[in-house]
Amino acid sequence: MANILECTNLVKRFGHFHAIADLNLTLETGKVVGLLGPNGSGKTTLIKLANGLLTPTSGEIRIDGNPPGIETKRVVSYLPDKTYFDQWLKVRDCLALFADFYEDFDLAKARDMLVSLKIDEGAAFRTLSKGTKEKMQLVLVMSRAAKLYLLDEPIGGVDPAVRDYILNTIIRNYNEEGTVVISTHLIYDIEKILDEVIFLKEGLVERVASVDDIREKEQKSVDEVFREVFRC
């Protein structure tokens, strides 16, 4: 398999604080990967570096062979951990923005998902509940035929029913030739859809493992291993 993401001696400092510390990592295409770690472990920083929103202090990060930039934005579909649309935009305006920006955006697919959620295209973003806003943004992100989906805490702060919908939406709609990276600390909810896990601790890769290996060789769940690695 080809590599979709490669980090070589990657460092990101904020002043004297190392958010990412000499990190080396390779991700292959065609997998659903959990980027797991407690708050402050570097998950969001790594995702922002991969998306070109931050620049490395040193080292290198490449997406599909290229440093983050205009070319990689064509192949990366990014869901941040916060809502970012202008509150006065209507849902149909958000659809139009994605259709204008991304050649791989499937408008019909997005509309089908919105109908199944009973989200009115004429509704203003500000009128939607927090859970509905999360689902709408996920619909937009997952309606792209991307090579790399970067999802930062897609199930954080929403109720269990919404979590199930979000996880099912991810699995049903991502480009199967691509890779999905899901950042979270809610391991129990998400491990059922993962192929591989990356444990981040204080900006370093603590462990990379196949979920099947954890279950078969160690006879443990990912959640159990996570609790062992990050025990206070």
Side-chain angles (χ1 to χ4, degrees), residues 39-76:
N39 292 331
S41 58
K43 302 188 302 294
T44 293
T45 299
L46 180 58
I47 285 178
K48 286 184 175 180
L49 286 164
N51 204 50
L53 296 175
L54 294 173
T55 55
T57 303
S58 62
E60 185 176 64
I61 182 168
R62 289 189 170 268
I63 309 294
D64 201 27
N66 297 304
I70 293 174
E71 287 304 314
T72 62
K73 290 187 185 301
R74 298 177 189 272
V75 301
V76 174

Side-chain angles (χ1 to χ4, degrees), residues 5 9 27 38 72 86 106 116 143-144 158 176 178 182 217:
L5 183 146
N9 303 123
L27 291 185
T72 62
D86 189 308
D106 188 333
S116 72
S143 293
R144 291 185 56 198
V158 296
E176 293 187 2
I182 305 173
K217 295 179 181 178

Side-chain angles (χ1 to χ4, degrees), residues 97-136:
L97 282 170
F98 263 64
D100 284 345
F101 269 91
Y102 302 111
E103 293 178 356
D104 62 0
F105 181 69
D106 188 333
L107 182 58
K109 183 178 185 179
R111 282 181 165 151
D112 284 345
M113 284 193 274
L114 290 176
V115 168
S116 72
L117 289 168
K118 299 179 181 178
I119 298 176
D120 181 4
E121 285 190 35
F125 195 71
R126 63 184 172 82
T127 65
L128 305 178
S129 67
K130 184 181 189 306
T132 302
K133 288 176 182 176
E134 300 255 356
K135 287 186 279 189
M136 194 204 80

